[in-house]
Amino acid sequence: MAKREREQRAGGARRVLAGGLVLALLAGAAVAWQTGWAQRWWDELRADAGTPADPAAVAPPPEVDVPPVVVPGAVAVAADGTAPLDPQAVRQALAPLDSPDLGRHVIAAVGPLAGSGLAYEAAEGADVAIPASTTKIVTGAAALFLLGPDRTFATTTVLDSSGAAPRLVLVGGGDPLLAREPGSATSGTTYDPERADVRTLAKRTARALRQAGTSSVELGFDDSLFTGPAVHPSWRPEYIPDEVNPISALWVNEGAALPGQGPVADPALEAARAFAQELSRRGITVTGGPTRTSVPASATEMARVTSPTVAQIVQRLLEVSDNAAAEILLRHAGLADQGEGSFDGGRRAVERMLTANGIDLRGSVLYDGSGLSRDNRLAPGVLVDVLRLAASPQHPQLRPLLAGLPVAGYTGSLAYRMDHGPPAGRGRVRAKTGTLTGVTSLAGIAVDSEGHLLAFALMADKVKKVKGALARTAMDDAAAGLGACAC
């Protein structure tokens, strides 16, 4: 979002899944999993022969005296994700949506996470609104479904020796988080995966070139993986570069300029220049400047670096509302499903994925992956259905979508929100925020005081500009009310 519009940052398998989601809502567990500590611990534990039935069954290391493990009582009421909700209680919890600060167009949908139907729908079935960044829930689901949570994207170098001089080509594979150098992760976030970087790629490439007896190369770069416009026609001019840079299959630091420099007009060229500098520092002579080219059929791969997984990228883009990462994943979804890595290819892929999973679009249309487009329209029931799909035992590959949602009062874009409504809502709600001028929205999951799991989407897109902060507070109060109610 533009700087002045930026989201505020100061029974069976179903019952097993529901209980796990309740625990995930608790702040401590959320932080442990989002930082990756618990996941690494679990992976290391499972790497041994056999998986213990309980952490208490793991023997201590030799010569270490530890007290016996005492398993505490339940930390949350066991949830029933399929239980019917009390429409009157839900309506009462959402009373803040009646605030005049939200403007004259407020729509919402609430239903059981693992059930069907809606306990509350403040809209006609086909009523839609500008979703802003809640769009990223749909984008993340499409990427996880079409690409798989373990998919990664490689940035490579290839060498063509068929010409008069060896020609090295830097090939963009659509890594949204490719960095200039190691350790250039964003500070201040709960979770930031380890990124690939062009310095490491240059080091590996230089080593391979020396082994091949090559010390001087011409340099080309190939960013042809994605097609179509790099900037959506409906984006406001001020969004570039404040909120996103021209989308490219090859860039460093999401196309952002170095301190003191102006906007980057060609992110792929900037990435190639950064790579050339690193290559020169490692004793490889680069003759001339980098030029845009395509990979010759006779080229041989020299080196590669690999992005974080799709699951990790989705977790980050949901937590910090990363516009650039969302747009890159939309293009990858388009490539996987439509053979076209563009805005339009991504749009068609998302629509097909939703309808193929039985989700009625209800008049919804999404033109980008980030939600920056004010032409996007989304029905709240679609967001509820996507969240239900992610919770379904039939689609475990979508679970990172729920795990990546910020926790109210603790992480990401909700770290400093929901501090005016019912205190019980803090830590019981996980949601994606959405903010544009005149637009405020929230969509996510909640566990109420009775242990019921809910999916919800709250949207208002006729908010007066001077009421923006008050509107966010009213919507936060409504979402917190869902966490505090006995629904």
Side-chain angles (χ1 to χ4, degrees):
M1 315 308 155
K3 284 183 179 177
R4 62 178 180 275
E5 303 172 356
R6 184 163 292 157
E7 295 177 352
Q8 193 174 356
R9 290 184 182 171
R14 289 188 175 184
R15 290 186 64 86
V16 173
L17 169 63
L21 288 172
V22 172
L23 295 177
L25 281 163
L26 299 176
V31 171
W33 280 104
Q34 289 203 325
T35 56
W37 173 84
Q39 184 66 59
R40 290 194 300 272
W41 172 83
W42 181 246
D43 290 341
E44 292 168 1
L45 192 63
R46 295 183 64 190
D48 297 328
T51 302
D54 187 277
V58 181
E63 300 180 2
V64 175
D65 184 21
V66 295
V69 175
V70 178
V71 180
V75 295
V77 178
D80 185 350
T82 64
L85 302 176
D86 180 352
Q88 182 59 37
V90 173
R91 189 173 294 107
Q92 184 176 351
L94 294 178
L97 293 183
D98 294 330
S99 169
D101 294 328
L102 285 168
R104 65 182 186 276
H105 188 224
V106 182
I107 58 177
V110 181
L113 180 62
S116 59
L118 297 173
Y120 179 92
E121 187 174 21
E124 297 297 327
D127 199 0
V128 295
I130 300 173
S133 273
T134 55
T135 300
K136 294 182 176 75
I137 290 177
V138 181
T139 304
L144 289 164
F145 187 88
L146 296 171
L147 303 170
D150 298 326
R151 173 76 179 274
T152 58
F153 312 110
T155 306
T156 62
T157 53
V158 299
L159 183 65
D160 177 24
S161 302
S162 61
R167 184 168 183 79
L168 185 72
V169 181
L170 174 65
V171 185
D175 179 353
L177 303 181
L178 184 68
R180 287 181 179 271
E181 57 191 33
S184 51
T186 304
S187 60
T189 59
T190 305
Y191 176 74
D192 210 323
E194 183 176 351
R195 307 177 182 211
D197 67 276
V198 294
R199 177 175 293 177
T200 299
L201 182 60
K203 180 179 179 179
R204 295 174 182 176
T205 301
R207 184 186 304 119
L209 288 173
R210 285 192 294 268
Q211 291 174 350
T214 301
S215 59
S216 178
V217 295
E218 297 176 346
L219 181 62
F221 62 95
D222 186 342
D223 63 342
S224 62
L225 183 65
F226 298 155
T227 55
V231 174
H232 198 276
S234 66
W235 289 351
R236 290 185 171 180
E238 61 266 28
Y239 291 166
I240 311 294
D242 282 355
E243 297 303 332
V244 69
N245 291 292
I247 307 303
S248 175
L250 174 63
W251 62 12
V252 289
N253 296 359
E254 298 188 338
L258 289 170
Q261 296 184 358
V264 175
D266 189 338
L269 176 59
E270 176 63 22
R273 287 170 174 164
F275 175 76
Q277 291 176 351
E278 297 294 342
L279 203 59
S280 298
R281 290 171 182 167
R282 282 152 183 80
I284 302 298
T285 300
V286 179
T287 60
T291 57
R292 186 171 268 105
T293 187
S294 57
V295 176
S298 59
T300 302
E301 183 174 312
M302 292 284 101
R304 66 171 48 209
V305 290
T306 306
S307 75
T309 66
V310 166
Q312 291 172 317
I313 296 168
V314 167
Q315 183 168 352
R316 175 188 157 72
L317 78 85
L318 290 174
E319 183 183 333
V320 302
S321 203
D322 190 324
N323 296 318
E327 296 300 345
I328 293 287
L329 286 187
L330 181 73
R331 280 162 173 72
H332 280 298
L335 278 171
D337 191 69
Q338 300 289 316
E340 181 183 332
S342 65
F343 284 111
D344 190 56
R347 177 188 58 78
R348 286 184 276 117
V350 167
E351 290 178 356
R352 195 199 68 80
M353 186 278 294
L354 293 176
T355 55
N357 283 285
I359 297 177
D360 183 358
L361 296 180
R362 303 173 177 88
S364 302
V365 59
L366 298 174
Y367 293 100
D368 66 6
S370 62
L372 286 172
S373 175
R374 300 183 69 89
D375 290 344
N376 291 339
R377 294 295 184 273
L378 196 56
V382 171
L383 286 165
V384 168
D385 285 345
V386 170
L387 293 164
R388 285 171 169 167
L389 185 70
S392 167
Q394 285 74 43
H395 296 289
Q397 77 274 27
L398 301 185
R399 209 73 75 245
L401 187 76
L402 302 183
L405 291 172
V407 181
Y410 291 92
T411 63
S413 56
L414 288 183
Y416 302 103
R417 290 180 58 167
M418 297 195 193
D419 54 350
H420 294 95
R426 292 169 63 84
R428 287 181 173 269
V429 175
R430 301 189 76 135
K432 180 70 196 76
T433 56
T435 305
L436 289 169
T437 296
V439 179
T440 185
S441 56
L442 279 172
I445 60 177
V447 57
D448 75 356
S449 62
E450 298 292 318
H452 299 132
L453 281 166
L454 299 76
F456 67 89
L458 318 176
M459 309 170 76
D461 64 355
K462 298 293 183 183
V463 179
K464 293 181 179 179
K465 190 173 182 179
V466 295
K467 298 284 189 177
L470 294 172
R472 281 195 299 271
T473 298
M475 192 155 284
D476 285 358
D477 291 351
L482 291 174
C485 80
C487 295

